[in-house]
Amino acid sequence: MWKEYIKIKNYLKIKWEYLFLGTIFLILSISLNGLSLSTIVPLMDRVLSQRKITLPSNFPYFISLKLEPFISKLNSFPPLLILKYLIFFMIIAFFLKGVFIFLSNYFFRVFSTRISTDLREKIYEKFLNLSLDFFSKKQTGELTTRIVYDVGLLNITFESFFPHFLFPIFLVLSYLVIIFLIDWKFSLLSIFIYPLILIPVLNLTKKLRKLGKSIQETYARIANIINESIFGYKVVKAYNQEENFINKFRQYNENIFKIILSINKRTLLISPFIEFSGVFASSYLIYYGGTKIVKGEMSSGFLFLFFFSLFSIIGPLKTILQTYANIKHSSSALPRIYYILDYKSKIDEEGNEIFNGLKESIEFKNVSFAYDKNFVLENINLIVKKGEKIGIVGRTGSGKSTLVGLILRFYDPVSGDILIDGKNIKNFKLNSYRRFIGYVPQEPVIFYGTIKENITFGD
Ligand SMILES: Nc1ncnc2c1ncn2[C@@H]1O[C@H](COP(=O)(O)OP(=O)(O)OP(=O)(O)O)[C@@H](O)[C@H]1O
Ligand SMILES: [Mg+2]
């Protein structure tokens, strides 16, 4: 899926510098977020409980060496001074965090909107340069949907990718860094303990799905029995089958009763089970953390920071999962868009010669043409002299418009050649050639604009 997205760079000029700037400011704002969260430690330890800050015993040694002087300074300051510093720091930190988040979102937005804007243009440009066989294969309605829907889908994904996917990923990472720094053993324990609770719940929901299915099947059987007894009631009565039918009905009906009970038992169990195991897991964590505080292995500020960061992971994690589903869904638009962008035009072998206008004649030499398999035109030979006016007459669907389309090079003949003054029209540069042709299609098209602009269209 990601490969498909990255492939976009083959078609567009990507502005990497905006991605780079956005990422830098993203990292800055996330770091500042972590830093301002950490002020909870001196606030709790020094100001609220007026004790000394002690680094957790499992704190990485090389970092605690660096932090030690800073912490002993904090421990020597009077609480009120620390409170003042903290408030001052918070104000500045939150201001800067806001600026960084703004800048990061801004650069990401420029980056992604540039891509979707350029993509729209690329597809439209490709469209206009496609040979007509493309349009005969695909319904025009489907094509319009493709541009509008697919690009719209990608647009939404591009827009939400940075704020709702990359940002929460960095956020989760920063929380993980915090909790693992404080106590890696405790972190591992906490991260594994909650998913463990979910395993029985997942099993339960699987079983519920199965039960739901069998209840539907049983209902279908019952409906069948009722149907049979209504439409075949004469036969049922003639053969004294009432008792049999009632027994069968009763059996299925009782089955439904049993299944509903068993479903109810399980759904009613889920919520208290989750609640109880949540409390069980949490109390284990609180016991573990509390013991550490009592033993002096961790101060309450760090424990608080730990729990706060741990539970802050859940929110962004949900966002990541949701956005991931959207990104995956939208990626289905990519192959369709690449199909258009990669489509090889059937008349791309245009020549280099500049066409200077008709001098003598247009000639069809053994021209045959088929849209798909069936030939519409076969071995057409025709010479039209300059100045000659001709009408082509034929049944509807006999190929008149196709013949004219061949002169315009909407398509090229499957076999045979079309010559102008003895030269194959494939030799001419396409737009120099079409410049000399006036074409009024069978189905008139009025373009948006004035009548004058429509009459002088193309000049
Ligand atoms: N884009 C296309 N793709 C596939 N088949 C086509 C396409 N356009 C025309 N045809 C088929 O080719 C045949 C010739 O069509 P064409 O439009 O040239 O006929 P025509 O003589 O101009 O008819 P009319 O008198 O109705 O304008 C028809 O059978 C038509 O169904
Ligand atoms: Mg026609």
Side-chain angles (χ1 to χ4, degrees):
M1 173 183 91
W2 298 113
K3 259 195 206 150
E4 292 280 299
Y5 275 104
I6 293 171
K7 225 174 120 186
I8 290 186
K9 75 175 172 22
N10 300 343
Y11 300 92
L12 308 173
K13 247 188 93 203
I14 308 281
K15 302 250 187 255
W16 295 111
E17 59 272 25
Y18 286 104
L19 182 67
F20 178 73
L21 283 173
T23 314
I24 295 277
F25 284 110
L26 174 68
I27 291 175
L28 281 177
S29 68
I30 297 275
S31 317
L32 214 52
N33 182 57
L35 214 57
S36 39
L37 201 63
S38 313
T39 54
I40 232 172
V41 176
L43 184 73
M44 291 238 1
D45 287 349
R46 295 292 294 128
V47 182
L48 297 183
S49 57
Q50 310 209 352
R51 292 193 188 166
K52 287 200 181 325
I53 302 171
T54 39
L55 279 176
S57 54
N58 281 337
F59 209 78
Y61 185 64
F62 58 101
I63 302 181
S64 48
L65 271 187
K66 293 253 156 62
L67 276 181
E68 210 60 74
F70 178 66
I71 292 204
S72 51
K73 211 172 229 170
L74 277 182
N75 283 341
S76 65
F77 285 163
L80 266 185
L81 188 67
I82 291 184
L83 186 62
K84 277 182 201 154
Y85 275 148
L86 279 182
I87 289 174
F88 182 69
F89 174 78
M90 284 305 246
I91 291 173
I92 293 190
F94 271 84
F95 174 75
L96 283 180
K97 194 176 108 181
V99 173
F100 291 157
I101 286 185
F102 167 79
L103 285 174
S104 140
N105 277 333
Y106 175 77
F107 288 126
F108 281 143
R109 192 37 93 76
V110 174
F111 176 77
S112 55
T113 312
R114 194 67 261 165
I115 291 181
S116 33
T117 311
D118 288 354
L119 194 64
R120 258 197 308 266
E121 189 188 317
K122 256 268 144 34
I123 295 178
Y124 184 66
E125 192 189 313
K126 179 79 191 187
F127 251 38
L128 285 194
N129 288 315
L130 281 169
S131 52
L132 285 196
D133 64 293
F134 185 87
F135 294 89
S136 53
K137 269 187 208 150
K138 302 272 156 195
Q139 303 275 316
T140 323
E142 195 196 322
L143 286 175
T144 327
T145 325
R146 217 169 250 197
I147 296 195
V148 176
Y149 179 75
D150 285 350
V151 178
L153 207 61
L154 286 178
N155 215 357
I156 296 170
T157 305
F158 289 149
E159 273 172 19
S160 64
F161 178 81
F162 295 103
H164 300 310
F165 194 71
L166 201 66
F167 184 78
I169 283 183
F170 272 74
L171 208 56
V172 166
L173 284 180
S174 73
Y175 290 134
L176 285 177
V177 167
I178 292 179
I179 62 170
F180 271 86
L181 275 181
I182 294 178
D183 194 326
W184 63 271
K185 280 188 204 155
F186 196 13
S187 304
L188 280 182
L189 188 74
S190 336
I191 287 176
F192 283 112
I193 214 166
Y194 283 100
L196 274 184
I197 301 171
L198 286 181
I199 292 175
V201 176
L202 286 180
N203 275 340
L204 216 60
T205 43
K206 219 190 256 168
K207 177 88 190 168
L208 278 177
R209 226 173 295 144
K210 248 190 221 157
L211 286 174
K213 215 169 150 196
S214 65
I215 210 171
Q216 273 172 3
E217 283 165 10
T218 319
Y219 269 126
R221 292 231 175 83
I222 284 198
N224 222 3
I225 294 176
I226 296 176
N227 250 343
E228 276 175 6
S229 27
I230 289 174
F231 291 108
Y233 77 104
K234 281 182 188 158
V235 184
V236 173
K237 284 197 184 302
Y239 286 91
N240 281 330
Q241 287 298 305
E242 293 98 332
E243 196 72 9
N244 254 345
F245 267 75
I246 289 173
N247 279 340
K248 242 201 294 184
F249 186 92
R250 185 178 296 133
Q251 193 192 331
Y252 285 125
N253 208 20
E254 283 303 311
N255 267 350
I256 287 181
F257 174 77
K258 278 184 204 144
I259 297 174
I260 286 182
L261 266 198
S262 136
I263 286 180
N264 263 357
K265 216 166 49 194
R266 287 180 167 82
T267 42
L268 291 177
L269 259 177
I270 284 186
S271 151
F273 176 79
I274 288 184
E275 196 172 87
F276 174 72
S277 23
V279 167
F280 181 76
S282 307
S283 55
Y284 188 73
L285 290 182
I286 290 170
Y287 175 76
Y288 187 94
T291 321
K292 290 208 158 228
I293 291 186
V294 172
K295 283 189 189 160
E297 289 174 1
M298 192 190 278
S299 61
S300 48
F302 277 109
L303 186 70
F304 197 81
L305 180 62
F306 184 91
F307 279 128
F308 191 87
S309 307
L310 180 67
F311 293 122
S312 300
I313 290 177
I314 298 168
L317 207 58
K318 265 194 208 153
T319 318
I320 292 171
L321 291 179
Q322 271 165 8
T323 318
Y324 180 79
N326 289 342
I327 294 174
K328 201 163 169 99
H329 173 66
S330 309
S331 73
S332 64
L334 285 165
R336 294 197 292 262
I337 286 178
Y338 294 148
Y339 173 75
I340 294 178
L341 290 178
D342 289 336
Y343 196 84
K344 286 262 175 303
S345 194
K346 286 265 166 69
I347 49 154
D348 54 4
E349 348 80 52
E350 65 178 305
N352 290 319
E353 208 170 311
I354 303 292
F355 182 66
N356 286 317
L358 174 70
K359 297 195 179 64
E360 279 165 22
S361 64
I362 303 174
E363 182 177 0
F364 276 61
K365 247 186 166 172
N366 283 326
V367 170
S368 301
F369 180 79
Y371 284 101
D372 295 310
K373 278 184 201 120
N374 301 328
F375 276 87
V376 175
L377 300 174
E378 266 186 284
N379 288 323
I380 302 289
N381 286 291
L382 169 77
I383 298 182
V384 186
K385 291 255 158 53
K386 183 178 179 179
E388 222 174 345
K389 288 195 178 83
I390 67 163
I392 297 167
V393 185
R395 274 183 295 109
T396 194
S398 57
K400 304 178 293 290
S401 301
T402 307
L403 188 100
V404 172
L406 284 171
I407 298 179
L408 274 147
R409 286 201 78 195
F410 286 160
Y411 337 89
D412 283 333
V414 175
S415 65
D417 296 308
I418 301 172
L419 310 172
I420 286 198
D421 301 335
K423 270 184 199 148
N424 196 319
I425 56 171
K426 286 181 183 171
N427 295 342
F428 298 120
K429 204 159 172 45
L430 208 54
N431 57 30
S432 81
Y433 171 66
R434 285 193 186 143
R435 232 165 58 87
F436 282 89
I437 300 174
Y439 172 63
V440 180
Q442 186 164 351
E443 310 84 12
V445 182
I446 308 281
F447 289 101
Y448 182 81
T450 61
I451 293 179
K452 188 177 166 197
E453 278 166 354
N454 267 284
I455 292 175
T456 58
F457 186 78
D459 271 340

